[in-house]
Amino acid sequence: KQEVTQIPAALSVPEGENLVLNCSFTDSAIYNLQWFRQDPGKGLTSLLLIQSSQREQTSGRLNASLDKSSGRSTLYIAASQPGDSATYLCAVPWAGSYQLTFGKGTKLSVIP
Amino acid sequence: ETGVTQTPRHLVMGMTNKKSLKCEQHLGHNAMYWYKQSAKKPLELMFVYNFKEQTENNSVPSRFSPECPNSSHLFLHLHTLQPEDSALYLCASSQGIGQGHQPQHFGDGTRLSIL
């Protein structure tokens, strides 16, 4: 059974800082890994999807890396802004399945 | 415009009530999903439909009854719910259910409170 862990559970940083969110998974036989953002009271917005054959993906100030062999992914946010405040979730499919297993998320607060 | 619309956004109901949650997607996707998000727990997949056919039921109690009349609409009928069913219910869709058919696109959810 796939298990996904996100550390830290909460993070508070001053505006302008670069930061890293961590995601680890127990079964490395994944097809891809997806990072989502969730604002309070809202649904999930897909940020980045990394295929298992890729090492990283970039979108604007966001960079996600994937190390399948060690079961880890990181989401790097450059020059953080108050608008980045949200909960960030990572998700991977179960091995041999399309179903997603989610972590509990990291709640990010960027202080002006 | 998220592409996936859920109604109502908030719902308060008693344990003996019957209500339904609605989800509609405008993305031309063929797969639709119901998830439950409880406080301090990861998202839990409840049901999956592909081309209107149910492909997954993750041991969900029968007081939750899904319905998928077509690839664009998904309902979750609720009956005799328990207080522990209070949660955010999220609908999602994707092109298909194969692993190459991610990402899933989510609606904003229905916040359900059981009195």
Side-chain angles (χ1 to χ4, degrees), chain B:
Chain B
E1 174 60 57
T2 64
V4 180
T5 304
Q6 290 187 244
T7 55
R9 291 296 314 280
H10 302 273
L11 179 62
V12 179
M13 56 187 286
M15 288 191 286
T16 58
N17 292 157
K18 288 184 180 181
K19 295 287 185 183
S20 296
L21 311 185
K22 179 182 177 183
C23 176
E24 182 175 3
Q25 58 96 0
H26 311 277
L27 300 169
H29 289 166
N30 299 308
M32 297 188 76
Y33 311 75
W34 279 117
Y35 287 88
K36 176 183 179 182
Q37 188 176 33
S38 304
K40 300 183 179 180
K41 293 177 68 176
L43 265 76
E44 302 170 74
L45 179 66
M46 300 174 72
F47 301 104
V48 181
Y49 279 81
N50 191 40
F51 289 99
K52 304 188 299 178
E53 299 297 321
Q54 186 179 122
T55 59
E56 291 292 338
N57 175 341
N58 279 344
S59 304
V60 180
S62 59
R63 57 186 184 269
F64 295 92
S65 174
E67 177 189 2
C68 188
N70 54 62
S71 292
S72 298
H73 294 85
L74 185 63
F75 295 89
L76 188 61
H77 303 300
L78 315 172
H79 177 49
T80 319
L81 296 192
Q82 304 299 311
E84 62 266 27
D85 297 323
S86 297
L88 180 67
Y89 289 84
L90 292 164
C91 173
S93 70
S94 63
Q95 186 63 44
I97 61 172
Q99 291 190 355
H101 293 290
Q102 306 295 350
Q104 295 179 17
H105 296 256
F106 284 78
D108 282 340
T110 295
R111 173 67 64 184
L112 177 64
S113 299
I114 305 300
L115 301 178

Side-chain angles (χ1 to χ4, degrees), chain A residues 49-80:
Chain A
L49 184 149
I50 310 177
Q51 301 293 348
S52 61
S53 58
Q54 298 175 316
R55 296 282 295 181
E56 62 179 60
Q57 277 279 1
T58 298
S59 176
R61 293 182 294 108
L62 305 179
N63 177 277
S65 67
L66 174 63
D67 185 342
K68 267 185 55 176
S69 60
S70 66
R72 294 179 184 176
S73 176
T74 61
L75 180 65
Y76 175 83
I77 302 177
S80 58

